[in-house]
Amino acid sequence: MNKQKIVIIGAGIVGACMAYHLAKRNQDVTVIERHSAAAREVTEKSFAWIHTTHRVAPEYWHLYDASVEEYHTLQQELSELNIHWHGALTWDTPPLRDQHFQKLNREQLEALEPNLKEYPDEAMFVSEEGAVDPIALTELLLSKAQEYGAKIQFDTNVTQLKQEGSRLVGVHTSKGFVESDVMVLAAGTGTPELCNPLGCHVPITSSPSILIRMKTANKLIHTLISNAQFEARQLTDYTLLAAEDYIDESEANGPQAVGKRAYDTLRRSLKHGNQLELESIKVGWRPMPEDGYPIVGFHDHMNGLYLTLMHSAITLAPLIANLAASEIIDGKSRYELDPCRLSRF
């Protein structure tokens, strides 16, 4: 097996997963991150739901179906990895893929979530789904990658990708030039800025979402709950998270206003909800491919450039990074990633 110099730009969940799988297979891995720590862009603002049952195009079902198994494999490899396999409970939301949920009646819901003030007559429960602490997961993967020999350069700005002819040969940074055989872009919404000077158009937009973090004296939610009123889960016994859609930057519908409404809704909807304390409201700018599905693989016209862009990254990154590492190291395309190629646009 050839040992390649692989540079990964970005130390969010995708970059960390790539670093782990590549370093584990004895590659010469360098991760470049402009922040002073990992997971400081969209990853830290992620609701971090391992969400496998929402409706997606059939050609992507296999990735979502395999993502939970990949997390269980990762948990076997990394004993420190804590995943909350408490399932997800939904009602009054768009229907899930039919084969993946069970219907619960009101009595079952009261037993599962005793702290709700009101219950629907029926809800859908997916016992296989889970959630993680996205920062802890990212840091753990990078730490393990370092144990396998990966180098992490924090506080390092990328200034320019260097090409010779139709090949990428490295990257100029604020701390000097780093040579590469393969450049993995895990830079999220920063990807177009890096690719455009190369003449490589990557069709993504920034898709904002809002994460609300609250303190609580004890555990109020046992599963992950998603309905028309709120989407919430416990990060720890003393921290509750809620996710909301971004509307605009106006005073009435800006992130602070939306976050405060979500906080008020949870205080009203939960028994002992008055104990909640609002801690923070943050906006995460997710990299959203034009059609909503991952863009993964070597660029057709720029040798040595490998793209890794996806939503939802928390759900898909461990699986896709494993497959992508196989492509990079073994030099053979993985059919599982065929629907994810940039050439589809």
Side-chain angles (χ1 to χ4, degrees):
M1 179 177 65
N2 291 330
K3 189 168 187 175
Q4 303 177 86
K5 293 180 180 178
I6 301 174
V7 174
I8 301 169
I9 297 178
I13 184 60
V14 177
C17 286
M18 290 298 301
Y20 172 73
H21 282 294
L22 289 164
K24 188 172 67 169
R25 293 190 58 184
N26 196 38
Q27 300 301 291
D28 182 352
V29 175
T30 301
V31 180
I32 297 175
E33 168 58 49
R34 68 188 182 96
H35 292 282
S36 58
R40 290 302 180 260
E41 289 284 350
V42 68
T43 298
E44 75 162 355
K45 291 104 175 171
S46 172
F47 190 55
W49 180 0
I50 304 171
H51 189 5
T52 64
T53 52
H54 57 306
R55 291 195 176 276
V56 297
E59 59 265 36
Y60 296 94
W61 283 354
H62 65 287
L63 293 174
Y64 287 87
D65 289 343
S67 60
V68 167
E69 183 180 347
E70 184 69 29
Y71 264 105
H72 283 294
T73 299
L74 199 60
Q75 206 167 18
Q76 290 172 356
E77 294 177 10
L78 307 175
S79 60
E80 310 96 317
L81 176 54
N82 183 26
I83 302 176
H84 304 288
W85 294 116
H86 303 317
L89 193 62
T90 64
W91 66 90
D92 297 334
T93 61
L96 308 177
R97 287 164 54 197
D98 295 341
Q99 67 272 32
H100 286 284
F101 63 86
Q102 59 187 112
K103 290 183 179 179
L104 301 185
N105 60 32
R106 185 187 179 99
E107 183 179 348
Q108 291 170 311
L109 293 173
E110 289 182 17
L112 194 61
E113 288 291 358
N115 290 322
L116 293 176
K117 287 184 177 177
E118 297 181 359
Y119 295 88
D121 293 330
E122 185 179 82
M124 296 171 287
F125 183 60
V126 185
S127 60
E128 295 83 7
E129 293 190 336
V132 294
D133 180 330
I135 299 175
L137 173 58
T138 302
E139 291 177 341
L140 175 61
L141 289 166
L142 286 174
S143 173
K144 293 299 179 181
Q146 285 179 295
E147 290 180 16
Y148 285 117
K151 300 174 286 293
I152 319 291
Q153 294 187 9
F154 290 115
D155 292 314
T156 304
N157 292 313
V158 171
T159 55
Q160 185 183 8
L161 303 183
K162 183 180 179 181
Q163 67 179 111
E164 290 182 357
S166 61
R167 169 167 287 280
L168 271 186
V169 296
V171 56
H172 293 284
T173 78
S174 56
K175 295 183 178 178
F177 180 73
V178 183
E179 183 183 357
S180 69
D181 297 310
V182 177
M183 182 78 61
V184 176
L185 290 191
T189 56
T191 300
E193 184 181 352
L194 295 172
C195 288
N196 288 341
L198 305 174
C200 302
H201 175 61
V202 181
I204 67 165
T205 58
S206 296
S207 173
S209 63
I210 302 170
L211 185 72
I212 304 99
R213 188 179 181 110
M214 290 153 276
K215 293 179 182 178
T216 179
N218 47 55
K219 192 171 186 176
L220 298 179
I221 295 176
H222 297 274
T223 64
L224 183 153
I225 300 177
S226 177
N227 58 50
Q229 285 72 47
F230 64 85
E231 189 168 277
R233 70 176 183 92
Q234 297 280 161
L235 179 66
T236 70
D237 287 352
Y238 308 105
T239 303
L240 191 144
L241 299 179
E244 287 291 332
D245 292 331
Y246 177 93
I247 302 175
D248 56 39
E249 286 290 339
S250 67
E251 185 173 345
N253 290 315
Q256 293 300 313
V258 169
K260 182 65 165 56
R261 286 198 292 268
Y263 166 65
D264 291 338
T265 297
L266 283 163
R267 285 173 61 87
R268 290 194 306 270
S269 301
L270 296 171
K271 297 172 185 175
H272 313 295
N274 58 354
Q275 71 177 239
L276 288 173
E277 295 180 36
L278 184 60
E279 188 175 330
S280 65
I281 299 169
K282 294 183 179 181
V283 177
W285 295 89
R286 302 169 297 188
M288 187 66 70
E290 199 172 85
D291 61 0
Y293 296 109
I295 298 174
V296 184
F298 281 108
H299 195 278
D300 289 337
H301 307 297
M302 182 58 64
N303 294 326
L305 175 60
Y306 197 96
L307 299 170
T308 56
L309 289 154
M310 65 201 76
H311 177 74
S312 158
I314 291 293
T315 299
L316 295 174
L319 173 68
I320 287 183
N322 195 358
L323 296 169
S326 175
E327 287 195 325
I328 291 169
I329 296 167
D330 301 329
K332 296 178 182 178
S333 294
R334 294 294 299 252
Y335 72 89
E336 299 96 329
L337 295 175
D338 285 350
C340 302
R341 306 308 185 192
L342 178 63
S343 58
R344 71 182 184 270
F345 294 100

